[in-house]
Amino acid sequence: MAGMSPLFRRKSSAAPQDRLVTLIRKPGCHLCDDAQLVVEKVCGELGATWEQKDISADQALHDQYWEQIPVVLVDGEQHTFWRVDEDRLRRALTE
């Protein structure tokens, strides 16, 4: 499977409880507060683990994401930025 095109690989079938959602945010960001509410709700319902990281405390995150915050990663891969759609995040964690 290592040589197979990514288009034909199946996605991970990990259960939501085995997934990690990361919210990258900064203090005083109202979009970040809105995103956190969605992440907390969806992860709470599905039992997924979530964490938050502050770009003002991590220069590498700041350099990579400062124009996009809030940013949501699922298992370390960027899922979305600016606005978090509850249904889309739920699908990402369950499909």
Side-chain angles (χ1 to χ4, degrees), residues 29-80:
C29 167
H30 74 279
L31 288 177
C32 300
D33 294 338
D34 293 346
Q36 183 171 334
L37 291 174
V38 174
V39 169
E40 286 177 340
K41 178 180 180 184
V42 173
C43 289
E45 289 173 357
L46 298 176
T49 301
W50 77 277
E51 65 182 357
Q52 59 182 323
K53 295 186 178 184
D54 181 350
I55 66 165
S56 66
D58 185 318
Q59 189 63 46
L61 287 177
H62 180 274
D63 293 347
Q64 185 171 2
Y65 296 116
W66 72 274
E67 290 183 318
Q68 297 179 340
I69 62 160
V71 175
V72 175
L73 310 178
V74 175
D75 297 332
E77 294 188 25
Q78 188 167 340
H79 169 72
T80 195

